[in-house]
Amino acid sequence: LGPSPEEAGAEIVWSEEIRRLEKMRWGELFLDGLIHCSDLCIGGTFVVIFMKLQKSKSASGLSLQTLATVVGARVLHLISHLIGLHYRPTVMPWFIFPTIDVLSACAGVAVLAAFSLLYYHSYEKEKDNFGIHVFERLELLSKDSPLRKSPFVAASFLYAVVAVIALLWYCVRKSQHKFLISYFCCYYEAMGAVALIPQLWMFHQDKRVSPLLAYFVVLTALNRLCTLCFWVFYPSVFYWRYPDNRGIQMVSETMNLLILSDFLFYWIRSKVRGDKEVIIGDGFPDNV
């Protein structure tokens, strides 16, 4: 005798439930993979910067403001593991994520140290001047002042902007944590948003970018894209969850990609045309 209608119905329901759980498991692995790829891309940025320094034996074209901010952001990111804010994987082993983050932070600190100790003599201070014009416009700094070429003066403007953006972001970003933890998250996200602006500023002065420096920006964009995809697909995997800050995070990552979109256009154009370097605009520096 075959199974009764009740048993057959229960078997169908059970089979559908197994398929649903398998599908969700693959979805959870997909989300874990997106965060893992995002972290790997950040680690890759330090690798290509180190390769650039080693290959050219020069720090020309590289923004110290950007490098210090990116490294600082990765060091701050480690704190998220200590206070329980970091993403917790559901399929992949948890230890992979803090291990990658620690290795990335160490690599970043090593690259920053190499820049400062071995290649600082070739650093183009006069071009890494994002923010200096603001001091000049406010008449806080004369055009012939030696401080005009100081990366610390330019960085003071950058970090003041980060602090203000973080405070404004705190007013918009929903959080159940106390002020200090919430502001820490906002400050970290603001650092990530503005970190590459000084580097893009230098690119638009030279109009030509070496392949390794270009990959620095491309890997950063891939990092943003992976994070954006994570938030886009999150409800498709966890049907019963909907984080309060999902929409805000999607807007944040979209804006981060828009900041890089101008350079990405020229990078793609250079790849299509077969150029050895990324040519921005007409390819002639601003001082020509």
Side-chain angles (χ1 to χ4, degrees):
L1 295 176
S4 65
E6 291 80 6
E7 292 174 338
E11 184 176 347
I12 293 174
V13 171
W14 180 247
S15 298
E16 292 177 349
E17 181 65 16
I18 291 177
R19 285 195 295 268
R20 187 187 70 82
L21 291 174
E22 289 178 349
K23 180 181 178 181
M24 187 177 71
R25 198 65 173 171
W26 281 106
E28 292 173 348
L29 179 61
F30 174 65
L31 293 182
D32 289 355
L34 286 174
I35 298 299
H36 183 56
C37 289
S38 176
D39 292 339
L40 287 177
C41 287
I42 288 295
T45 60
F46 298 128
V47 173
V48 296
I49 292 175
F50 180 76
M51 292 173 62
K52 188 270 178 198
L53 294 173
Q54 285 289 98
K55 182 177 180 180
S56 65
K57 303 298 180 182
S58 170
S60 61
L62 185 59
S63 168
L64 179 57
Q65 289 191 70
T66 286
L67 180 58
T69 305
V70 172
V71 173
R74 293 319 294 174
V75 173
L76 285 180
H77 183 74
L78 296 179
I79 300 177
S80 66
H81 291 282
L82 301 177
I83 59 180
L85 293 179
H86 197 277
Y87 171 75
R88 302 284 297 188
T90 53
V91 178
M92 296 180 65
W94 172 81
F95 75 89
I96 293 178
F97 292 81
T99 300
I100 293 296
D101 286 342
V102 169
L103 291 176
S104 294
C106 291
V109 171
V111 170
L112 183 59
F115 181 104
S116 303
L117 299 175
L118 302 177
Y119 302 101
Y120 190 80
H121 65 278
S122 58
Y123 168 48
E124 298 175 309
K125 301 178 185 178
E126 67 281 355
K127 293 182 180 179
D128 193 13
N129 60 354
F130 177 78
I132 291 294
H133 300 290
V134 175
F135 290 105
E136 293 178 349
R137 183 66 62 88
L138 297 175
E139 298 182 352
L140 298 175
L141 194 66
S142 62
K143 292 187 177 181
D144 57 351
S145 172
L147 294 176
R148 192 177 186 277
K149 295 183 179 181
S150 172
F152 300 103
V153 174
S156 66
F157 171 77
L158 182 68
Y159 282 96
V161 170
V162 170
V164 173
I165 292 177
L167 186 60
L168 296 174
W169 193 236
Y170 170 80
C171 298
V172 176
R173 189 180 187 271
K174 295 181 180 180
S175 177
Q176 299 177 348
H177 300 286
K178 295 182 180 180
F179 171 77
L180 287 179
I181 294 180
S182 297
Y183 186 75
F184 164 78
C185 296
C186 293
Y187 193 88
Y188 166 75
E189 292 172 0
M191 284 182 70
V194 306
L196 264 71
I197 292 180
Q199 185 65 70
L200 299 176
W201 177 270
M202 289 187 70
F203 287 167
H204 278 272
Q205 293 182 65
D206 291 333
K207 301 297 185 181
R208 290 177 179 268
V209 182
S210 66
L212 288 174
L213 272 182
Y215 284 126
F216 170 47
V217 179
V218 172
L219 285 170
T220 303
L222 287 175
N223 162 264
R224 308 297 191 200
L225 182 61
C226 287
T227 306
L228 176 60
C229 289
F230 171 85
W231 289 111
V232 169
F233 291 107
Y234 191 94
S236 300
V237 176
F238 298 108
Y239 305 104
W240 61 91
R241 299 184 197 171
Y242 193 92
D244 292 336
N245 64 338
R246 175 175 175 264
I248 292 294
Q249 293 293 343
M250 290 173 61
V251 171
S252 172
E253 297 303 336
T254 301
M255 291 178 62
N256 289 334
L257 285 170
L258 287 175
I259 292 173
L260 304 178
S261 61
D262 179 67
F263 178 82
L264 293 175
F265 165 77
Y266 291 117
W267 178 73
I268 294 173
R269 188 184 70 173
S270 297
K271 287 294 182 182
V272 172
R273 299 195 309 194
D275 298 328
K276 293 183 178 180
E277 296 178 307
V278 177
I279 300 175
I280 297 176
D282 56 13
F284 293 103
D286 291 338
N287 58 354
V288 175

